[in-house]
Amino acid sequence: MNSARFQQILRRTVMLPVLGLLLLSGIFVWQIHRLTVAMYALDYSDQVATNVSKLLRYSIDEETGLRGYQATADPQFLQPYFDSGSKIAGEISTLRSLLARNPDQLARLQRLEQTRQAWEAFAQKVLQLKHSGGDANNLELNLQGKAVMDEMRERANGIYEAEIALRNARSSAAQHFSNVITLSSLIVALIFGALLGIYTRFQLHNVSAAFDNSLKQSRLRAEELDESRQWLQTTLASIGDAVITCDAEGRVDFMNAVAEQLCGWTNQQARHLPLETVFHIQNEYTRQVVENPVTKVRRMKTVVGLANHTILVSRDGTEYNIDDSGAPIRAADGEIAGIVLIFRDITEQRKSQEAIFANEKLALAGRLAASIAHEIHNPLDSVANLLYLLARDPSPQEAANYISLARQELSRVTQISRTMLSLYREPRSPIPIDMKDVLESALLLLDRKIKDLGVTVVTDLQAVLAEGFPAELRQVFANLIGNAAEATGPDGTVRITLHPLAADENPALPLGGSIVHISDDGPGIPENIRTRLFTPFFTTKAEQGTGLGLWISNGLVEKHNGRMEFVSDTSPENHGTTFTVLLPTRMVPIAPLLSPSPPKS
Amino acid sequence: MSNNFPRLVLCVDDEKVGLVVRRILLEANGYRVLTAEGGIQALQLFDEHPIDAVILDYSMPGMDGAEVAAEMRLRRPATPILLLSAYVTLPDEVVQLVDLCLTKGDGAPILLDTLAQLFNDQRPREASV
């Protein structure tokens, strides 16, 4: 049952009784009107009866007056006679108007008037006889007068009785009508009330069922909600990653067990504290405080990952390498309702990765050893020969030439051994590096290989400063240049360019830095293996390669907050591959200062 | 025997300084020397001159020592070839192609002795062919 239907039922349940009451009161108003009309009719009949009674009394007075004068001849007796005569005329005229709408009674009244005129004619005759001294007491005349008077009284009585009968009939009709209306109203009201009761009961039953139903559903929903909450809590608690959820203001709302362990705070302790208090992160190398991911999410309003090389400092001072991401929790209106932060202890992973890196560095040295031995043996051979020649008493001029040649060759040995050694020596923290030096020393390491392969190297190098670990970058470029030389093969050309990169010139490096292109005109990288190029243990060189070179190079470039990309073309007319390495001027960007005041919402 | 009729040795190496020093050394020890900085030039000289022995570098751009030696064997199989390499170990099939192998940096006396040995071994080799 929806809200509209419920409203409709409510309306009906209220409106039906109101309508019923209105109908009943209409009936009563009508009944009262009818009764009033009946009352008027009764009043009217009463008035007619009264008038007729008065008329009869006045006739008696008139007759008495006449009889008195007849007996005494005293004109005093005539006074009531005259008075009554005019009163009777008044009553008759009143009656005429009263009975105007009743033809039967009007006919009776006319007949009464006729007898009345007959009696008046008799009275005039008696008065005339008395006055003229005639025989006023003539029996026959007086009997005739009495008969007229009797008839008149009878007629008046006839009017009276007819009126009374009419009144009684009206009265009983009104009574009957009133009874019928009262009874029928009562019955209608009872039936209506009963129907209304049944209907209301039915509707209320419906409403109650619907209410019960919705109550049951909401209870069910509450149970489901509780259950899904339990599910989520259990999922979050048992997940292997650390999870912290924050409200929109960046205060901790929930921490799972892994997060508790890594941060050193319990869920209870951390609740409602600002995230930066609980989740304290620094850059691995510079120890600068890193921008809080929650602040970043609120700023960028999107999913963010942490900067590389982030260290989480636990409450007890333990440090963990972590890898994390933050994501906004959006409410239905799209506003940020909270932030969920997921991170993972990658300390072990980092250690094993570093071990593989170190291993590969040694392996690289091993692979280079043969060519380095070669580089050392060549000048050594010349030096040995020159020493032999010097021992055989050359002319001073020849000796000077031999010594100069020997020095030249010895300096070559020194240079090679230094380059070789610098593969191992590494500063503890990033230092400023001239990228040109790095590329040139990588080329020196590969000199023999390049010569053996018969590859031409064309360079266009500008001095550009970067920051980082020089041997690692040398390793990266030795790897890339070596790959390029192998790919292009005999008579091929490898082009190496190094240029400064202005800020905003490349979106991958918004603050600028340096850009290195290493291009070969080899066959290009087949499309189906391009995506696997940076994955470990992937190699196309079978026994000759470990499959770690590009993976490690990419890792080292990322460590320097740089970026490695490549484009490749396998078409017959335009084949070749270009690797691009972007390196920032500063390895570690300055973290934005955290505002000490709580964020305003 | 060689003093009256000096032997002609062809030195092949892409290392310019090494080549110059080797020439001085051999000439000081009574050899006539021709030098080539690459395989193509070496084969050309090999065709044009009556070369008595070849001192061949292994690692060279374009054509390596093994290729040059194989080519020379095709043209004049009897000419002795000494493979002089900066690499300590060389593939067996390369070693089998040449008469003798030496590692660079072993010193001038060993080079001169080895070269002399090459000429001493030449006679039975010629006879066997």
Side-chain angles (χ1 to χ4, degrees):
Chain A
M1 177 174 291
N2 56 22
S3 164
R5 173 106 182 89
F6 183 69
Q7 293 287 337
Q8 191 190 9
I9 287 177
L10 270 187
R11 244 192 330 269
R12 277 188 192 165
T13 318
V14 172
M15 284 313 283
L16 275 175
V18 169
L19 278 176
L21 281 174
L22 277 177
L23 187 69
L24 274 178
S25 46
I27 290 171
F28 281 126
V29 165
W30 179 59
Q31 200 181 355
I32 287 165
H33 174 72
R34 285 293 301 263
L35 277 173
T36 313
V37 170
M39 283 303 174
Y40 275 125
L42 290 181
D43 272 358
Y44 169 79
S45 295
D46 285 346
Q47 210 179 329
V48 170
T50 310
N51 283 2
V52 172
S53 303
K54 278 183 183 170
L55 189 127
L56 283 172
R57 210 168 60 237
Y58 295 146
S59 329
I60 291 166
D61 288 350
E62 194 178 34
E63 193 185 15
T64 309
L66 186 67
R67 294 285 174 221
Y69 179 67
Q70 235 178 305
T72 61
D74 187 347
Q76 278 186 69
F77 285 99
L78 278 180
Q79 194 54 44
Y81 169 79
F82 288 124
D83 286 350
S84 297
S86 63
K87 280 177 184 167
I88 286 167
E91 291 301 325
I92 286 175
S93 111
T94 305
L95 275 173
R96 194 179 293 123
S97 70
L98 280 173
L99 297 173
R101 278 180 304 165
N102 192 333
D104 289 349
Q105 291 284 71
L106 210 57
R108 284 190 193 100
L109 185 65
Q110 268 171 358
R111 283 202 293 277
L112 176 74
E113 276 189 86
Q114 282 163 9
T115 44
R116 158 96 188 133
Q117 279 163 9
W119 190 81
E120 268 185 351
F122 156 74
Q124 286 296 326
K125 208 172 188 176
V126 170
L127 285 180
Q128 223 166 9
L129 285 174
K130 196 76 183 172
H131 194 63
S132 60
D135 185 10
N137 292 336
N138 180 291
L139 184 65
E140 197 185 345
L141 182 67
N142 280 301
L143 277 175
Q144 200 187 344
K146 180 185 180 294
V148 171
M149 180 49 79
D150 286 348
E151 196 187 340
M152 198 183 86
R153 279 188 185 136
E154 202 176 318
R155 287 196 172 155
N157 268 327
I159 291 174
Y160 179 81
E161 271 156 22
E163 197 60 43
I164 289 301
L166 201 60
R167 184 192 185 278
N168 286 343
R170 275 181 185 147
S171 169
S172 73
Q175 189 67 46
H176 180 70
F177 176 75
S178 169
N179 284 347
V180 166
I181 286 295
T182 307
L183 196 67
S184 56
S185 296
L186 196 68
I187 291 167
V188 166
L190 277 175
I191 292 170
F192 180 76
L195 286 176
L196 190 68
I198 290 166
Y199 175 76
T200 308
R201 195 185 125 76
F202 171 72
Q203 292 289 34
L204 282 181
H205 186 75
N206 271 355
V207 169
S208 141
F211 180 71
D212 263 4
N213 198 19
S214 67
L215 208 66
K216 204 185 288 172
Q217 267 183 1
S218 69
R219 200 180 301 132
L220 207 68
R221 215 157 288 161
E223 273 169 23
E224 274 171 11
L225 208 67
D226 194 51
E227 198 177 329
S228 87
R229 203 183 151 78
Q230 285 293 333
W231 259 90
L232 286 176
Q233 288 275 10
T234 313
T235 309
L236 283 180
S238 55
I239 209 164
D241 287 348
V243 179
I244 299 180
T245 57
C246 295
D247 60 19
E249 271 69 50
R251 283 187 296 267
V252 175
D253 186 46
F254 169 81
M255 294 174 85
N256 74 349
V258 184
E260 283 181 337
Q261 188 220 321
L262 288 180
C263 296
W265 293 75
T266 66
N267 195 6
Q268 296 294 328
Q269 291 168 337
R271 235 179 130 78
H272 305 310
L273 287 177
L275 181 72
E276 49 264 33
T277 311
V278 177
F279 185 70
H280 188 67
I281 48 175
Q282 295 179 345
N283 181 279
E284 181 177 357
Y285 303 109
T286 62
R287 298 282 156 184
Q288 274 174 323
V289 173
V290 174
E291 186 187 15
N292 196 304
V294 164
T295 322
K296 206 166 168 185
V297 167
R298 291 176 60 196
R299 185 159 54 83
M300 322 246 297
K301 298 201 186 309
T302 179
V303 177
V304 300
L306 260 202
N308 281 332
H309 318 298
T310 309
I311 279 189
L312 169 66
V313 183
S314 172
R315 201 179 183 184
D316 61 11
T318 318
E319 294 181 355
Y320 301 97
N321 290 93
I322 60 160
D323 188 5
D324 80 335
S325 66
I329 303 170
R330 292 184 189 282
D333 59 0
E335 280 298 299
I336 291 181
I339 290 140
V340 59
L341 177 70
I342 298 169
F343 56 101
R344 177 185 310 169
D345 177 11
I346 56 159
T347 312
E348 289 303 313
Q349 192 184 330
R350 277 296 294 279
K351 275 184 189 158
S352 51
Q353 192 184 14
E354 271 166 16
I356 296 177
F357 276 29
N359 210 20
E360 180 61 15
K361 202 192 265 183
L362 287 175
L364 175 73
R367 281 200 298 279
L368 287 171
S371 76
I372 283 163
H374 185 272
E375 291 309 294
I376 290 173
H377 280 154
N378 268 322
L380 211 59
D381 186 51
S382 299
V383 170
N385 288 343
L386 287 164
L387 282 175
Y388 176 85
L389 288 168
L390 278 169
R392 290 181 40 156
D393 284 333
S395 69
Q397 201 188 341
E398 281 173 332
N401 185 31
Y402 297 162
I403 289 168
S404 152
L405 280 172
R407 280 199 182 127
Q408 199 184 315
E409 291 296 272
L410 268 179
S411 76
R412 264 181 73 192
V413 177
T414 317
Q415 198 187 0
I416 288 159
S417 85
R418 275 195 188 143
T419 310
M420 177 72 191
L421 278 176
S422 68
L423 266 182
Y424 300 103
R425 270 209 309 260
E426 196 69 297
R428 283 176 169 276
S429 55
I431 57 164
I433 315 166
D434 187 344
M435 288 295 292
K436 194 179 176 199
D437 286 349
V438 171
L439 282 164
E440 279 173 348
S441 64
L443 279 170
L444 182 67
L445 280 173
L446 293 166
D447 188 45
R448 175 49 41 187
K449 181 175 186 170
I450 288 165
K451 275 190 183 145
D452 284 357
L453 286 166
V455 171
T456 312
V457 174
V458 180
T459 58
D460 171 16
L461 309 178
Q462 295 179 27
V464 190
L465 274 185
E467 192 181 55
F469 303 95
E472 290 181 353
L473 292 180
R474 188 178 301 117
Q475 186 181 337
V476 169
F477 291 114
N479 175 234
L480 294 180
I481 297 168
N483 285 349
E486 281 171 16
T488 190
D491 303 324
T493 306
V494 173
R495 288 171 205 282
I496 305 172
T497 64
L498 163 65
H499 297 292
L501 190 70
D504 297 324
E505 202 173 315
N506 190 309
L509 221 60
L511 296 174
S514 52
I515 181 165
V516 178
H517 292 292
I518 297 166
S519 315
D520 64 63
D521 49 9
I525 302 165
E527 204 144 348
N528 58 339
I529 64 166
R530 282 182 197 167
T531 53
R532 293 154 70 198
L533 227 50
F534 292 154
T535 56
F537 305 111
F538 174 76
T539 179
T540 56
K541 300 178 187 167
E543 301 288 296
Q544 265 77 51
T546 58
L548 291 171
L550 277 179
W551 173 61
I552 288 179
S553 293
N554 193 37
L556 291 175
V557 170
E558 279 182 356
K559 177 178 171 180
H560 284 77
N561 271 322
R563 231 184 122 96
M564 192 195 284
E565 299 160 348
F566 68 93
V567 285
S568 194
D569 193 340
T570 51
S571 65
E573 60 276 6
N574 210 9
H575 55 86
T577 304
T578 298
F579 270 81
T580 303
V581 176
L582 299 154
L583 286 167
T585 314
R586 296 289 309 269
M587 179 173 165
V588 183
I590 314 282
L593 282 176
L594 292 167
S595 62
S597 59
K600 293 174 192 92
S601 55
Chain B
M1 61 174 183
S2 59
N3 287 348
N4 298 336
F5 186 63
R7 306 268 191 182
L8 181 60
V9 177
L10 173 61
C11 288
V12 190
D13 200 331
D14 63 321
E15 287 285 329
K16 291 190 184 74
V17 178
L19 199 60
V20 167
V21 173
R22 205 166 298 130
R23 175 185 205 141
I24 296 168
L25 176 74
L26 293 177
E27 282 176 349
N29 281 280
Y31 294 97
R32 287 191 295 137
V33 178
L34 284 174
T35 58
E37 286 182 21
I40 308 290
Q41 196 193 353
L43 288 173
Q44 200 179 339
L45 289 170
F46 191 75
D47 286 343
E48 289 166 0
H49 300 277
I51 307 290
D52 292 308
V54 181
I55 300 177
L56 188 58
D57 182 33
Y58 173 68
S59 164
M60 287 185 296
M63 233 176 155
D64 68 22
E67 287 171 279
V68 177
E71 194 60 39
M72 285 174 171
R73 281 282 185 253
L74 281 176
R75 296 177 191 192
R76 291 211 293 276
T79 311
I81 301 173
L82 169 62
L83 192 67
L84 189 64
S85 169
Y87 291 115
V88 180
T89 51
L90 286 172
D92 283 348
E93 62 269 24
V94 177
V95 175
Q96 278 161 14
L97 259 180
V98 298
D99 295 81
L100 280 170
C101 287
L102 255 190
T103 306
K104 278 183 182 175
D106 285 346
I110 295 176
L111 176 68
L112 292 170
D113 284 354
T114 313
L115 192 59
Q117 194 192 337
L118 204 64
F119 287 120
N120 293 336
D121 290 350
Q122 200 180 2
R123 217 167 294 276
R125 189 188 176 93
E126 266 177 338
S128 69
V129 174

